[in-house]
Amino acid sequence: VGVFVFNVLYGYLQELLQVHIAGRKFALFLAMSQFAGYAFWAFILARLNRYSLGPTHTKGGTPKVPTAKFIGLSLLRAFDLAVTNSAMQFLNYPAKTLIKSCRVVFTMFMGVLIRNKRYKTRDYIAVFTLVLGLIVFLHADSTSDAVFHPLGVILLTISLICDGTLNNWSEQMMEEYNLSQDQFHARLYTVSLIATVVAAALQNELFEGIDYFLFQHGTVTEIESSEPVPSSSWTASQKTMILALFGTTGILGASCLGAITKRFGALCMALTSTGRKATTLFLSFALFNNQCSSEHVVGVSLFMSGLLMKSFHKSQPSPDTTNGQYAGQETIQSSSPRWWEGRWGMFDSMLRRMGLRRLNESKGLIRKRSSIDMELALQTD
């Protein structure tokens, strides 16, 4: 329930804000708003995690990470989201969602370059199906009246390269310096927030965005036009509420997916995520009048098939020769069910991270899940 509520609402708010209220403008201001929500919730989770552990677990202090490395990673994260938002000037939201869902392609590619990873033939078949479905979908957009420009594809490709680098570099940094994800995300989003605030100010989006979204009535297009703003348009309080929800639902949705992964495994998480993306696309076509042809349907079907193939393969456990179990099972089986689990994914994830997850991390077991967790926590689709 939490996955669909938070992630589908996040997708709806993203298209509503970027396309209909912002008029495909204010990419940096919207990125700043999103990072503000992410930084706030990451800080809350980190504080609750630290408080729950007590002084015996925290007296070792915060792991020391070279400042240059962390700033570089945070700037890359800020650039990634800013480029993603900028691409909405040239593409419809469904096309953007599908392209961003191809992050597995770039994560695999960057994994080979950065960490010398190796993949099986079926991984490449799944990736080929993904790319084929995306090509069919984009061809349908390019031959219709939908908003489409190759520059949007180029911007999202740059974003995905950044995304793949982030996933691999973050995983490597967390393993090297023994960082918990709560500590990592609280710092990452805070530095990224500062970077986007500076960038928005330099591009004259900061104060204009605050004025347009928090104080003036109507959409950006209506405000900038010479015509009076209709009384039925968005009010300043409504836009403020949408911005606050937009900056919150993304990280809570990722937290829900993380809870599903830890409780039920990677396959359930991947299937749930795929179903959520399909629902988001359906709502985008239904609620925002995006064009949908038979070629669009074929492209989406191929794309979702590729995601499912990758999900089934990703969920297959590999034997852990050190304890005779399958890799990743210990984080699912090492805790008895609690009454709150399965109701609100955010609190499930929060409470697991406050207790079980840090214990596993001290034993070095959490590293087996770091790739999945990082991909969830850093998603920006």
Side-chain angles (χ1 to χ4, degrees), residues 282-309:
F282 173 78
L283 291 177
S284 179
F285 282 115
L287 299 179
F288 294 103
N289 297 320
N290 290 309
Q291 289 193 355
C292 183
S293 64
S294 57
E295 195 173 1
H296 283 103
V297 175
V298 171
V300 170
S301 300
L302 283 171
F303 190 90
M304 293 300 169
S305 299
L307 280 183
L308 287 174
M309 282 193 289

Side-chain angles (χ1 to χ4, degrees), residues 62-77:
T62 303
K64 299 294 184 181
V65 182
T67 305
K69 281 188 177 182
F70 209 90
I71 291 178
L73 190 65
S74 301
L75 292 178
L76 187 62
R77 182 68 178 89

Side-chain angles (χ1 to χ4, degrees), residues 101 104 122-123 125-127 129-130 266-278 300-316:
S101 297
V104 63
R122 49 189 163 182
D123 288 317
I125 294 175
V127 165
T129 308
L130 279 173
L267 175 60
C268 184
M269 177 278 295
L271 292 176
T272 304
S273 180
T274 304
R276 186 271 303 175
K277 289 173 183 176
V300 170
S301 300
L302 283 171
F303 190 90
M304 293 300 169
S305 299
L307 280 183
L308 287 174
M309 282 193 289
K310 190 72 179 77
S311 301
F312 276 106
H313 174 50
K314 191 174 184 179
S315 67
Q316 293 177 0

Side-chain angles (χ1 to χ4, degrees), residues 240-284:
T240 303
M241 184 182 300
I242 291 173
L243 280 174
L245 285 174
F246 177 59
T248 301
T249 51
I251 194 169
L252 297 188
S255 181
C256 290
L257 285 173
I260 289 176
T261 304
K262 292 170 182 62
R263 183 80 188 277
F264 302 106
L267 175 60
C268 184
M269 177 278 295
L271 292 176
T272 304
S273 180
T274 304
R276 186 271 303 175
K277 289 173 183 176
T279 304
T280 300
L281 288 172
F282 173 78
L283 291 177
S284 179

Side-chain angles (χ1 to χ4, degrees), residues 138-373:
L138 292 180
H139 179 265
D141 262 7
S142 65
T143 55
S144 67
D145 294 333
V147 177
F148 179 84
H149 193 282
L151 182 56
V153 179
I154 294 173
L155 289 174
L156 287 180
T157 301
I158 295 172
S159 171
L160 285 169
I161 293 173
C162 294
D163 210 358
T165 305
L166 276 164
N167 288 337
N168 288 280
W169 194 6
S170 300
E171 180 184 352
Q172 188 177 39
M173 185 180 294
M174 290 179 67
E175 290 178 358
E176 182 178 354
Y177 298 102
N178 195 29
L179 282 170
S180 74
Q181 287 202 43
D182 295 323
Q183 292 173 320
F184 181 83
H185 292 147
R187 296 182 190 179
L188 179 76
Y189 293 137
T190 301
V191 178
S192 298
L193 171 61
I194 295 172
T196 49
V197 168
V198 173
L202 292 175
Q203 293 296 318
N204 297 321
E205 289 190 17
L206 179 59
F207 298 108
E208 238 184 27
I210 292 173
D211 181 37
Y212 281 16
F213 284 89
L214 305 186
F215 295 105
Q216 292 203 45
H217 176 77
T219 66
V220 171
T221 303
E222 292 168 345
I223 293 172
E224 292 181 342
S225 69
S226 57
E227 300 293 328
V229 177
S231 58
S232 59
S233 188
W234 297 96
T235 64
S237 59
Q238 288 174 332
K239 290 185 288 185
T240 303
M241 184 182 300
I242 291 173
L243 280 174
L245 285 174
F246 177 59
T248 301
T249 51
I251 194 169
L252 297 188
S255 181
C256 290
L257 285 173
I260 289 176
T261 304
K262 292 170 182 62
R263 183 80 188 277
F264 302 106
L267 175 60
C268 184
M269 177 278 295
L271 292 176
T272 304
S273 180
T274 304
R276 186 271 303 175
K277 289 173 183 176
T279 304
T280 300
L281 288 172
F282 173 78
L283 291 177
S284 179
F285 282 115
L287 299 179
F288 294 103
N289 297 320
N290 290 309
Q291 289 193 355
C292 183
S293 64
S294 57
E295 195 173 1
H296 283 103
V297 175
V298 171
V300 170
S301 300
L302 283 171
F303 190 90
M304 293 300 169
S305 299
L307 280 183
L308 287 174
M309 282 193 289
K310 190 72 179 77
S311 301
F312 276 106
H313 174 50
K314 191 174 184 179
S315 67
Q316 293 177 0
S318 56
D320 185 349
T321 56
T322 59
N323 55 18
Q325 291 181 323
Y326 285 97
Q329 281 188 334
E330 59 272 37
T331 57
I332 301 174
Q333 298 175 350
S334 57
S335 173
S336 58
R338 303 181 176 95
W339 64 270
W340 57 78
E341 293 177 350
R343 294 179 180 271
W344 296 100
M346 168 195 168
F347 298 107
D348 184 12
S349 177
M350 182 191 303
L351 291 169
R352 281 180 177 275
R353 281 188 282 189
M354 287 193 294
L356 168 65
R357 187 172 180 178
R358 183 63 64 89
L359 176 61
N360 284 341
E361 189 174 24
S362 66
K363 297 179 180 179
L365 299 178
I366 197 66
R367 292 178 183 177
K368 296 171 184 176
R369 289 295 180 105
S370 59
S371 297
I372 296 174
D373 290 343

Side-chain angles (χ1 to χ4, degrees), residues 111-126:
V112 172
L113 290 182
I114 295 175
R115 312 198 70 196
N116 295 320
K117 289 185 177 181
R118 295 294 179 265
Y119 299 94
K120 296 184 178 180
T121 304
R122 49 189 163 182
D123 288 317
Y124 293 104
I125 294 175

